[in-house]
Amino acid sequence: MAEMRITKAMFDGLLRLDGKEGRPIPALAERWDVSPDGTIYTFHLRTNALWSTGERITTEDVLYSWRRALDPATAADYAGQLFYIKHAEDYYIGKIKDPAKVGFRALDAYTFQVELNHPLAFFLDLCCFPTLAVVPRQSIERYGDRWLTRSPLPVSGAYELVSWRLNDRVRLRKNMRYWDAANTHSSLVDLLPVASPNTALNLYQTGVADIIWDKDLVPVELMDVLMKQPDFHNFGFLGTCFYRFNVTRKPLDDARVRKAFALATDKERLIRKLTFGGEKPAFHFVPDGVPDYLPPENLKFDPAEAKRLLAAAGYPEGKGFPRLTYSFYAAAGGGAKIQGKIAVELQQMWRENLRIEIELRQIERKVFFSVQSRLDYDISASSWVGDYNDANTFLDLFLKNGGNNRTGWKSDRYDELMHEANRQTDRHRRAELFRQAETLLIAEDVPIVPLYFYAGFTYFKDARIKGVYGNLLDEHPLQDIWKVAVSK
């Protein structure tokens, strides 16, 4: 999320999310039309939209950006967000070779049309996401993978990149050629890549940092004190902490073993002992608060049944069970951080309830997600924050071609349920199909185990910082935020 906050500041899409409610609003497209059957969207671009280097932004730029995201050679984890478009998935998997056959096209310099496979409730939300942002062909084709480090860097968003100093800060400056520059409040923004909650709090208390956000930057041991401070702002948040299995490795290829782990995991104990910020145990994967959806409940804590399943899989009382590892990402503070504490607690639970020993593997954060993608793990700490307020943003992670699946789990039945759900115009039928899919995910095949739902937070001084609002997506556009000058 920290990286996407920077990306969204620098690169606009056709739409963007507003900071009050996290709803789609116009960005590079000033308006759009939708066909009566809900499958064709026609976007009308602003004629005053410019790159920060002065060139006009046209539909050719949108066309290039979307094709780049979909191109298998780009290896984008989020390419699946385009699969709702006609022929997009066929192009991605190589069934068709001509990108012109994919259902988006430039009708003229300022009119861009998209044809979907079927009506899609959240398509406008996808148009806000960085995957579909407009990026500079002129730099990417010239510099390749190093395009972000070459100056001048053309941007389509509210801010230009001034400097990117490793382990220090990313500095952004207002893009004076941005179509909405008049409403971009702050001229200069520094973003500090701090990993330690205690360091973040010290920077805030000494006035070096004005705003602290992101779920990992509250010292857990001070949570009960901080929540009483007027600077601390708590809000509902679409985010789930869970762990995932690499189902391609034995004995985790056996659903009975995965269920045994799930049944031996006491989620309420984790909340009671480790989290103090309003988090709730997750007895399903999709968080509460998603409209038109009632999730199923997954496997409850049941050590006796866990032992029975493990024995049925050939490991009575854990005998003969291989030594597996639980991987989690490292950050400043090491084991003092919440992921390390969770790892230790899970290790103890599984020792008590399954009579098995799990080793802990701490991985540097920048390497951690690559390790997940390569399936170079046994069991792995994970989290997901919704990209939009719909059950699909959680459940489509585990489609077999999903770049964020990272479990090796593939289920034709799951994919069929998901695709059928998103073809529905009846919201009740759609919800029921999603419910069946989630049941398969968390109660039957169990490639993941939800642990708890996050609580959102920021801390900042209301009198000094304006334009920050709590919303379910934790969306805080930088261009909407400003600092009130203090009179001397």
Side-chain angles (χ1 to χ4, degrees):
M1 289 187 66
E3 289 81 359
M4 285 198 290
R5 192 171 292 123
I6 302 172
T7 302
K8 290 178 179 181
M10 293 171 58
F11 299 101
D12 254 3
L14 295 174
L15 285 73
R16 71 178 182 92
L17 296 175
D18 82 287
K20 289 188 177 180
E21 298 182 353
R23 300 286 186 182
I25 59 174
L28 292 178
E30 61 183 353
R31 59 187 176 87
W32 55 89
D33 308 310
V34 186
S35 64
D37 67 356
T39 62
I40 298 177
Y41 286 72
T42 305
F43 296 92
H44 304 276
L45 270 63
R46 301 176 188 276
T47 56
N48 64 335
L50 301 174
W51 291 103
S52 57
T53 44
E55 307 93 336
R56 291 191 178 278
I57 297 175
T58 70
T59 50
E60 287 300 318
D61 296 304
V62 184
L63 187 66
Y64 167 78
S65 301
W66 287 30
R67 283 181 177 174
R68 175 176 175 267
L70 187 62
D71 189 339
T74 305
D77 284 344
Y78 282 90
Q81 290 194 338
L82 289 149
F83 290 177
Y84 304 103
I85 298 171
K86 190 173 182 180
H87 299 314
E89 186 170 9
D90 288 342
Y91 175 74
Y92 183 79
I93 64 177
K95 282 188 177 180
I96 62 173
K97 303 295 184 182
D98 184 0
K101 292 183 178 179
V102 178
F104 50 80
R105 59 193 63 84
L107 300 184
D108 58 44
Y110 297 101
T111 312
F112 188 74
Q113 191 171 82
V114 183
E115 184 176 0
L116 304 179
N117 294 316
H118 47 75
L120 195 66
F122 52 88
F123 178 64
L124 294 179
D125 298 86
L126 293 181
C127 292
C128 303
F129 200 71
T131 308
L132 302 187
V134 177
V135 294
R137 180 176 191 169
Q138 59 269 42
S139 288
I140 296 170
E141 291 190 341
R142 183 175 182 183
Y143 299 116
D145 288 344
R146 299 188 63 81
W147 66 278
L148 275 170
T149 66
R150 300 306 175 110
S151 184
L153 172 63
V155 299
S156 55
Y159 286 95
E160 298 180 81
L161 179 65
V162 178
S163 60
W164 178 0
R165 297 169 59 182
L166 192 64
N167 297 324
D168 178 32
R169 69 192 60 208
V170 173
R171 173 162 288 184
L172 304 179
R173 178 177 58 223
K174 181 177 178 177
N175 173 13
M176 299 306 296
R177 289 193 171 100
Y178 182 54
W179 65 268
D180 199 27
N183 293 310
T184 301
H185 293 288
S186 297
S187 297
L188 202 67
V189 177
D190 283 344
L191 296 115
L192 311 179
V194 177
S196 164
N198 291 326
T199 300
L201 183 60
N202 288 337
L203 290 173
Y204 176 76
Q205 290 178 331
T206 56
V208 176
D210 298 300
I211 308 172
I212 304 295
W213 43 39
D214 294 327
K215 61 184 181 295
D216 294 333
L217 289 181
V218 177
V220 175
E221 62 274 15
L222 297 177
M223 182 69 78
D224 55 341
V225 176
L226 290 172
M227 287 185 69
K228 298 173 184 177
Q229 301 299 315
D231 298 11
F232 191 101
H233 306 273
N234 205 282
F235 55 91
F237 180 40
L238 292 183
T240 307
C241 176
F242 63 103
Y243 62 82
R244 69 181 86 205
F245 298 103
N246 177 357
V247 305
T248 68
R249 291 186 176 179
K250 291 184 177 298
L252 300 175
D253 59 340
D254 188 331
R256 293 172 298 183
V257 172
R258 301 194 297 268
K259 287 181 182 179
F261 274 90
L263 290 162
T265 300
D266 187 347
K267 302 166 187 183
E268 292 179 338
R269 171 173 156 183
L270 291 176
I271 297 297
R272 186 172 61 253
K273 292 184 66 173
L274 303 180
T275 72
F276 305 98
E279 295 84 358
K280 297 179 180 179
F283 296 110
H284 41 84
F285 183 53
V286 179
D288 297 319
V290 170
D292 300 324
Y293 185 60
L294 181 64
E297 289 199 350
N298 69 341
L299 304 171
K300 297 290 183 68
F301 179 56
D302 188 340
E305 177 63 8
K307 287 182 180 179
R308 189 194 69 78
L309 284 171
L310 198 64
Y315 307 100
E317 293 295 318
K319 292 177 182 177
F321 197 84
R323 202 171 184 91
L324 302 180
T325 60
Y326 179 88
S327 300
F328 62 99
Y329 61 78
K337 290 295 299 293
I338 189 65
Q339 287 300 330
K341 290 185 174 184
I342 289 172
V344 171
E345 199 67 29
L346 290 174
Q347 182 188 50
Q348 180 63 28
M349 286 181 196
W350 297 332
R351 180 184 297 128
E352 293 171 359
N353 300 320
L354 297 176
R355 301 291 189 267
I356 62 176
E357 288 295 329
I358 300 294
E359 294 181 359
L360 302 184
R361 180 188 180 196
Q362 184 173 263
I363 304 172
E364 200 279 325
R365 185 169 186 145
K366 294 175 184 176
V367 178
F368 178 78
F369 297 106
S370 174
V371 166
Q372 274 194 348
S373 294
R374 298 196 312 269
L375 297 181
D376 183 20
Y377 73 92
D378 296 321
I379 308 172
S380 173
S382 299
S383 65
W384 190 255
V385 175
D387 298 328
Y388 44 89
N389 192 359
D390 188 275
N392 187 78
T393 189
F394 287 86
L395 299 179
D396 77 345
L397 298 181
F398 300 101
L399 294 170
K400 60 185 173 185
N401 289 328
N404 289 299
N405 184 317
R406 301 174 183 170
T407 64
W409 180 67
K410 297 179 180 180
S411 168
D412 290 337
R413 176 61 179 155
Y414 186 84
D415 287 15
E416 289 168 5
L417 288 167
M418 291 296 298
H419 293 323
E420 181 62 24
N422 281 318
R423 284 193 288 268
Q424 296 297 317
T425 55
D426 183 326
R427 59 188 177 91
H428 298 294
R429 177 59 179 159
R430 183 174 186 261
E432 175 54 30
L433 290 165
F434 275 153
R435 186 179 172 88
Q436 291 179 38
E438 186 170 357
T439 300
L440 186 61
L441 180 73
I442 64 173
E444 296 178 13
D445 278 10
V446 196
I448 66 165
V449 178
L451 294 176
Y452 61 84
F453 298 126
Y454 290 110
F457 83 94
T458 55
Y459 48 102
F460 62 92
K461 292 180 171 61
D462 290 293
R464 294 292 312 277
I465 302 298
K466 303 296 181 183
V468 180
Y469 306 93
N471 56 72
L472 284 172
L473 296 178
D474 201 21
E475 184 72 20
H476 310 292
L478 295 182
Q479 66 236 57
D480 295 347
I481 301 171
W482 71 99
K483 188 175 181 178
V484 176
V486 177
S487 57
K488 295 183 179 180

